[in-house]
Amino acid sequence: MERMIIKHLSGSKANQVEEFALKHHNELVFGRETTSTVQYDPERDDLVGRRHAKIQKDPNDPNGFLISDLQSRNGTFINNNKITGQTKIVPGDVVQFGLD
């Protein structure tokens, strides 16, 4: 089964692991809104926007994924580099919402 595994390194979800079966999710939305696929605590995760970023399958690469910042105030970073537009991600990349 194809799945995406999200390992949280810090914040209110530190040391938690979430798994999502790709057959049920075309994209994952990260944010503090209750409608987000990956929800963050609105009080403790104040660097995360209500709808901060999304990860979706890469239409040009059946095994690839793209991440997009959803015009968040604090930005989205991949391996400490701020992204703009859609950016390819690979297993092991570190995604950070805002800088702390």
Side-chain angles (χ1 to χ4, degrees):
M1 173 173 86
E2 291 184 12
R3 60 195 165 138
M4 184 178 298
I5 300 172
I6 308 293
K7 296 179 182 179
H8 300 277
L9 302 176
S10 62
S12 67
K13 293 179 167 272
N15 301 315
Q16 292 182 29
V17 176
E18 295 183 78
E19 294 187 26
F20 299 91
L22 296 178
K23 66 181 179 181
H24 298 299
H25 299 278
N26 290 325
E27 68 180 23
L28 301 179
V29 176
F30 297 79
R32 293 181 290 129
E33 277 189 351
T34 57
T35 58
S36 298
T37 317
V38 180
Q39 295 176 22
Y40 290 89
D41 186 288
E43 301 296 323
R44 295 175 32 204
D45 296 313
D46 59 348
L47 291 177
V48 179
R50 288 187 309 263
R51 282 182 46 86
H52 196 105
K54 72 177 176 179
I55 294 177
Q56 61 192 46
K57 293 179 186 178
D58 185 341
N60 299 315
D61 178 1
N63 297 314
F65 295 93
L66 300 170
I67 188 167
S68 303
D69 183 85
L70 299 175
Q71 300 179 344
S72 69
R73 182 179 303 159
N74 296 312
T76 300
F77 299 79
I78 307 298
N79 303 321
N80 293 319
N81 297 305
K82 188 172 185 176
I83 66 167
T84 57
Q86 288 188 326
T87 302
K88 189 169 186 71
I89 57 171
V90 296
D93 278 346
V94 175
V95 176
Q96 184 175 350
F97 302 132
L99 289 175
D100 48 351

